[in-house]
């Protein structure tokens, strides 16, 4: 079957690119190996309940943010419930910190817990940077550069505020805390490190100021809950793609991509597809192995991260019966002694909304739990029960769940992620930020400067639905820019 564009994987970056290209009249075929769309930004059904596949929080609908741009472009509405406050953090000293969405309320809370010393200037600085980063991200869609056109387009859109941001790429969050005299505040440093792991996938000594400040401020933007699970964020976009004459095909595990004279041949477990263009929406590690073109593999090698630089996840899903409806849906629990086997020092738990009867029956609540597994290839988890017990102990101790309410329990290791998603090493959450990798050194959306492109959570800017959405916007934009389609 012939298409204008074949897109590998139906993660949110892929669906973003597919929707924008379909809007331009291109026939797009999205090849997904699973039976649900959305990749790590979706939900799956088990025992009659809907559990989140990966992401549980939704931001990006504010002005100047990528998800807002996408939905406005394709004129699609997604049913959402605004959350306030977005989340709570349970610190190792026993305090509960509420991450309010209002900047003034959040600063007051930070001062209450961490003391008044420089909390205000620190958070005002972070918030200002985050606003500039998101505004710049949509203005500078040619970034990172890989040809002369990119430079010309970027120069035409350049603003003084954008240039001021550049210096932040040379400073780490560790530098920033030192500047504000906060580096010796152990409780605050622990808080910052565990918060950075959620979105930047690394700690303050590695994350640069641009990504770090933006990552820390995600709760200061509108946070939303999608009734029925994040699959209901994905479904309207899939429907839009179909309405434009394009399609998402399931059960197609891509095996290889070959360059032909007039385009590309993508071979899957069910057949072959010809197209003028191809976009890989799967991780760089997996992309490198798919393309028969040796030059593509060689070029990608310097960007590919080994397991020791990546994070996997240990996840759990609970169904709670008779559990009181939580006022705050998202919680991070610090585990300062580290969890057994994996050593992770925080646990993230998200509850289904008390009004959401699509995910659970009346009187029941679904909870999605995750924690990091560093160097997932090395961590062979043979006894999940040990980790499960430690996680449940921590959640019970903080009063977030009661053992007697647990109706159903399931868990998954990075090995399960490999089985479900085919992602190398079972890595999730995108590539971590590292100080030696500057924003302009990240992989550009072009794979071969001919007709192959890249999007997803392992390319700039990566982490989170809103970032992955931006990667799809950039990939689609560069394809259009290069070929005037």
């Amino acid at each position: 079957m012939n298409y204008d564009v074949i897109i590998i994987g139906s993660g949110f970056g892929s669906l973003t690119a597919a929707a924008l290209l379909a809007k331009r009249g291109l026939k797009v075929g999205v090849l997904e190996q699973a039976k649900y769309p959305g990749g790590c930004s979706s939900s799956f059904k088990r025992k009659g309940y809907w559990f989140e596949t990966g992401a549980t929080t939704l931001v990006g609908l504010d002005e100047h943010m990528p998800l807002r741009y996408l939905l406005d472009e394709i004129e699609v509405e997604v049913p959402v419930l605004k959350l306030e406050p977005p989340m709570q953090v349970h610190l190792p000293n026993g305090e509960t910190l509420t991450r309010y969405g209002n900047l003034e309320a959040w600063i007051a809370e930070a001062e209450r817990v961490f003391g008044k010393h420089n909390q205000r200037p620190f958070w005002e600085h972070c918030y200002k940077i985050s606003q500039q980063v998101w505004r710049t991200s949509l203005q500078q869609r040619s970034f990172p550069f890989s040809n002369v056109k990119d430079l010309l387009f970027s120069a035409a859109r350049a603003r003084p505020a954008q240039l001021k941001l550049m210096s932040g790429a040379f400073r780490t969050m560790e530098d920033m805390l030192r500047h504000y005299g906060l580096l010796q505040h152990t409780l605050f440093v622990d808080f910052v490190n565990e918060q950075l792991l959620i979105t930047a996938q690394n700690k303050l000594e590695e994350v640069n100021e641009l990504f770090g400040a933006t990552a820390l401020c995600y709760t200061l933007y509108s946070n939303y809950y999608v009734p029925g699970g994040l699959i209901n964020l994905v479904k309207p976009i899939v429907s839009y793609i179909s309405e434009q004459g394009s399609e998402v095909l399931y059960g197609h595990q891509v095996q290889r991509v070959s360059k032909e004279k007039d385009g590309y041949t993508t071979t899957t477990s069910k057949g072959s597809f010809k197209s003028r263009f191809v976009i890989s929406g799967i991780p760089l590690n997996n992309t490198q192995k798919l393309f028969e073109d040796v030059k593509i593999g060689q070029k990608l090698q310097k960007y590919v991260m080994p397991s020791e630089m990546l994070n996997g996840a240990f996840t759990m899903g609970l169904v709670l019966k008779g559990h009181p409806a939580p006022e705050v849906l998202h919680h991070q629990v610090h585990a300062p002694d580290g969890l057994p086997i994996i050593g992770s020092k925080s646990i993230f738990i998200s509850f289904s909304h008390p009004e959401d009867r699509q995910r659970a029956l009346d009187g029941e609540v679904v909870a999605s739990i995750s924690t990091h597994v560093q160097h997932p290839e090395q961590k062979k988890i043979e006894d999940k029960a040990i980790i499960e017990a430690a996680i449940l102990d921590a959640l019970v101790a903080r009063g977030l769940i009661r053992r007697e309410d647990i109706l159903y329990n399931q868990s998954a290791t990075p090995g399960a992620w490999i089985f479900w998603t085919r992602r190398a090493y079972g890595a999730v959450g995108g590539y971590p930020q590292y100080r030696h990798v500057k924003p302009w050194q990240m992989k550009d959306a072009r794979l071969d400067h001919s007709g192959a492109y890249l999007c997803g959570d392992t390319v700039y800017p990566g982490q989170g639905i809103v970032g992955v959405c931006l990667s799809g916007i950039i990939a689609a934009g560069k394809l259009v820019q290069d070929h005037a389609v």
Side-chain angles (χ1 to χ4, degrees):
M1 191 175 294
N2 294 341
Y3 291 87
D4 293 314
V5 187
I6 282 291
I7 300 182
I8 304 167
S10 70
F12 207 82
S14 294
L15 294 179
T16 296
L20 294 174
L21 293 172
K23 180 185 177 182
R24 298 186 70 88
L26 297 175
K27 185 177 182 182
V28 181
V30 181
L31 306 178
E32 170 56 53
Q33 60 92 22
K35 61 181 180 180
Y36 294 123
C40 293
S41 303
S42 188
S43 315
F44 66 94
K45 195 173 187 179
R46 183 164 293 175
K47 302 291 185 180
Y49 301 96
W50 284 96
F51 297 93
E52 300 295 24
T53 303
T56 57
T57 58
L58 179 64
V59 297
L61 291 173
D62 294 314
E63 189 180 6
H64 304 303
M65 296 187 81
L67 186 54
R68 175 77 279 144
Y69 170 86
L70 169 67
L71 298 181
D72 287 348
E73 279 290 303
I74 63 176
E75 298 180 330
V76 163
E77 291 186 10
V78 175
V80 293
L81 299 172
K82 190 172 182 178
L83 301 179
E84 180 53 45
M87 73 177 293
Q88 288 183 323
V89 181
H90 303 263
L91 298 169
N93 68 348
E95 290 228 50
T96 297
L97 177 72
T98 301
R99 295 224 59 183
Y100 294 104
N102 174 271
L103 178 61
E104 284 299 317
W106 163 239
I107 291 174
E109 177 72 347
E111 289 180 336
R112 179 187 72 81
V113 174
F114 301 118
K116 291 196 173 184
H117 178 66
N118 278 346
Q119 287 293 321
R120 175 171 291 278
F122 175 83
W123 288 106
E124 287 179 341
H125 180 66
C126 285
Y127 187 57
K128 182 179 179 180
I129 288 176
S130 71
Q131 289 180 306
Q132 291 171 341
V133 165
W134 284 123
R135 189 173 288 109
T136 299
S137 70
L138 284 176
Q139 293 170 340
Q140 291 292 353
R141 279 173 268 164
S142 297
F143 189 83
F145 316 129
S146 63
N147 66 18
V148 175
K149 271 188 178 180
D150 284 348
L151 288 168
L152 293 175
F153 277 115
S154 183
R157 298 167 183 156
R159 303 290 184 272
Q162 297 170 8
L163 298 176
K164 291 180 181 179
L165 282 175
M166 298 299 287
S167 62
F170 295 94
R171 293 188 296 269
T172 65
M173 291 304 294
E174 184 178 47
D175 296 329
M176 194 171 165
L177 263 69
R178 183 180 294 109
H179 173 76
Y180 285 102
L182 296 168
L183 198 56
Q184 305 307 315
H185 194 320
T186 303
L187 187 66
F188 186 65
V189 169
D190 288 344
F191 164 75
V192 169
N193 272 330
E194 297 306 322
Q195 286 283 287
L196 287 175
L197 275 173
I198 295 175
T199 46
Q201 296 290 315
N202 218 328
K203 296 190 174 182
L204 56 83
E205 62 268 21
E206 292 289 351
V207 181
N208 70 49
E209 185 180 77
L210 296 182
F211 284 103
T214 305
L216 287 180
C217 288
Y218 80 94
T219 51
L220 294 174
Y221 293 85
S222 300
N223 280 239
Y224 295 93
Y225 177 88
V226 182
L230 283 171
I231 195 166
N232 288 331
L233 165 68
V234 171
K235 280 182 176 178
I237 299 172
V238 172
S239 296
Y240 175 85
I241 291 167
S242 299
E243 290 163 5
Q244 307 311 305
S246 295
E247 54 192 338
V248 179
L249 304 173
Y250 302 101
H252 283 271
Q253 185 179 344
V254 176
Q255 297 169 336
R256 67 180 179 275
V257 180
S258 308
K259 181 78 173 73
E260 313 289 350
K261 284 185 178 180
D262 55 350
Y264 300 84
T265 297
T266 303
T267 303
T268 79
S269 53
K270 292 185 176 180
S272 297
F273 300 83
K274 292 188 177 296
S275 60
R276 291 172 61 195
F277 311 106
V278 65
I279 299 175
S280 175
I282 61 177
L284 280 168
N285 304 65
N286 298 81
T287 297
Q288 186 187 36
K289 297 176 181 179
L290 285 184
F291 281 80
E292 292 187 341
D293 188 333
V294 176
K295 290 182 179 178
I296 290 180
Q298 291 173 340
K299 288 179 180 178
L300 286 181
Q301 185 56 45
K302 71 176 182 179
Y303 299 103
V304 170
M305 289 187 184
S307 172
E308 57 263 32
M309 296 179 70
L310 300 174
N311 293 303
F314 184 91
T315 61
M316 293 177 66
L318 304 178
V319 178
L320 305 169
K321 188 175 181 63
H323 186 78
E327 293 182 9
V328 179
L329 299 188
H330 303 301
H331 297 259
Q332 184 186 41
V333 177
H334 284 231
D337 296 329
L339 294 172
I341 302 174
I342 56 177
S344 174
K345 293 190 174 182
S346 70
I347 303 158
F348 196 87
I349 180 168
S350 294
F351 295 96
S352 60
H353 197 282
E355 298 175 11
D356 188 356
R357 298 279 66 85
Q358 297 177 58
R359 293 183 64 191
L361 300 175
D362 190 29
E364 296 176 350
V365 170
V366 171
S368 297
I369 302 165
S370 64
T371 189
H372 286 81
V373 179
Q374 294 181 336
H375 198 343
E377 184 182 40
Q378 186 185 60
K379 301 258 184 13
K380 303 297 183 183
I381 301 170
E382 297 178 354
D383 190 349
K384 297 191 296 182
I386 295 174
I387 305 173
E388 288 180 2
I391 289 173
L392 293 178
D393 284 346
L395 298 178
V396 169
R398 288 308 184 108
L400 292 172
I401 65 169
R402 299 181 307 207
R403 291 186 189 278
E404 61 268 25
D405 293 341
I406 299 176
L407 186 65
Y408 173 70
N409 175 23
Q410 63 172 14
S411 65
T413 68
W417 277 94
I418 295 174
F419 178 76
W420 290 344
T421 68
R422 312 294 177 186
R423 294 170 68 99
Y425 312 121
V428 294
Y431 273 4
Q433 300 297 324
Y434 283 96
R435 59 182 173 182
H436 70 273
V437 181
K438 307 304 181 194
W440 51 87
Q441 294 174 314
M442 293 181 174
K443 181 66 190 87
D444 171 57
R446 298 183 185 89
L447 278 173
D448 63 1
H449 291 265
S450 178
Y453 296 83
L454 183 71
C455 66
D457 68 1
T458 60
V459 297
Y460 172 79
Q463 292 73 38
I465 292 174
V466 61
V468 178
C469 177
L470 178 58
S471 77
I473 294 170
I474 291 172
K478 290 201 173 186
L479 189 156
V480 171
Q481 172 184 308
D482 292 345
H483 303 280
V485 291

